[in-house]
């Protein structure tokens, strides 16, 4: 727990949602079948890199990449590949930090700190961001 209040989370969540909707609006002008970022692949999004502002592109990129990470994490869990789940958790946090920009220095510290320990398989922020907690996957014998 960072003990940092989530004061910004609700307003910033609405801003992020609006930014993603703007990305969809631009893509939909050329691809009418696109109704949400769920319908957008990484390759399709890259077609619009020059048409979207850097911020809008980064927000959309995070969502598109996270969509695939979730699917990859499901497969990793089905196969008991916890190290793959852990890798995906760290990548999710990097995206939340750098592309979606909802992390904070305290969350980043906790995730980075966890990387120093082999007992920690993966970590990421959870919740709306801007404070709060990380979630960590830890080897059973190290809990």
């Amino acid at each position: 727990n960072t003990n940092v209040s989530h004061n910004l989370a609700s307003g910033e969540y609405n801003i992020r949602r609006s930014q993603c909707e703007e990305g969809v609006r631009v893509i939909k002008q050329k691809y009418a079948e696109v109704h949400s970022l769920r319908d957008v692949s990484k390759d399709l999004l890259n077609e619009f890199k020059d048409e979207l502002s850097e911020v809008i592109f980064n927000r959309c990129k995070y969502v598109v990449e996270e969509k695939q990470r979730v699917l990859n994490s499901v497969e990793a869990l089905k196969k008991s590949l916890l190290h793959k789940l852990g890798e995906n958790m760290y990548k999710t946090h990097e995206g939340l930090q750098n592309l979606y920009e909802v992390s904070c220095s305290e969350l980043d510290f906790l995730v980075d700190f966890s990387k120093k320990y082999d007992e920690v398989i993966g970590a990421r922020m959870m919740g709306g961001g801007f404070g709060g907690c990380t979630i960590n996957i830890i080897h059973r014998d190290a809990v």
Side-chain angles (χ1 to χ4, degrees):
N1 186 347
T2 64
N3 290 313
V4 174
S5 173
H6 298 268
N7 293 337
L8 298 173
S10 62
E12 290 295 325
Y13 172 83
N14 291 332
I15 292 169
R16 298 305 183 279
R17 180 181 173 129
S18 175
Q19 291 167 330
C20 289
E21 289 169 347
E22 172 63 16
V24 169
R25 188 189 66 70
V26 170
I27 295 168
K28 190 174 182 66
Q29 291 175 0
K30 186 173 179 183
Y31 295 96
E33 67 276 12
V34 171
H35 300 289
S36 74
L37 290 174
R38 194 172 28 247
D39 304 321
V40 177
S41 68
K42 201 171 179 178
D43 289 340
L44 178 59
L45 179 61
N46 284 331
E47 280 185 43
F48 292 86
K49 186 166 183 149
D50 295 333
E51 294 177 48
L52 299 171
S53 71
E54 183 179 2
V55 169
I56 300 291
F57 180 81
N58 284 343
R59 302 300 190 251
C60 294
K61 182 179 179 184
Y62 168 74
V63 172
V64 169
E65 288 178 351
E66 183 64 7
K67 177 180 65 171
Q68 189 58 53
R69 271 191 295 275
V70 168
L71 296 174
N72 293 346
S73 293
V74 168
E75 288 305 308
L77 283 169
K78 286 179 181 178
K79 296 175 182 174
S80 297
L81 298 173
L82 291 181
H83 68 284
K84 288 287 184 194
L85 175 63
E87 289 172 13
N88 286 334
M89 289 175 71
Y90 283 127
K91 288 177 184 174
T92 290
H93 187 80
E94 289 171 16
L96 289 165
Q97 177 186 18
N98 300 315
L99 298 174
Y100 217 61
E101 297 182 279
V102 294
S103 191
C104 64
S105 60
E106 294 86 352
L107 286 166
D108 298 339
F109 170 82
L110 289 175
V111 171
D112 289 342
F113 185 78
S114 76
K115 292 176 181 178
K116 297 176 183 179
Y117 297 92
D118 292 335
E119 297 85 358
V120 180
I121 299 168
R124 57 163 280 187
M125 62 159 272
M126 56 184 283
F130 305 103
C133 298
T134 62
I135 185 168
N136 304 271
I137 303 297
I138 302 170
H139 285 279
R140 182 179 307 181
D141 57 351
V143 172

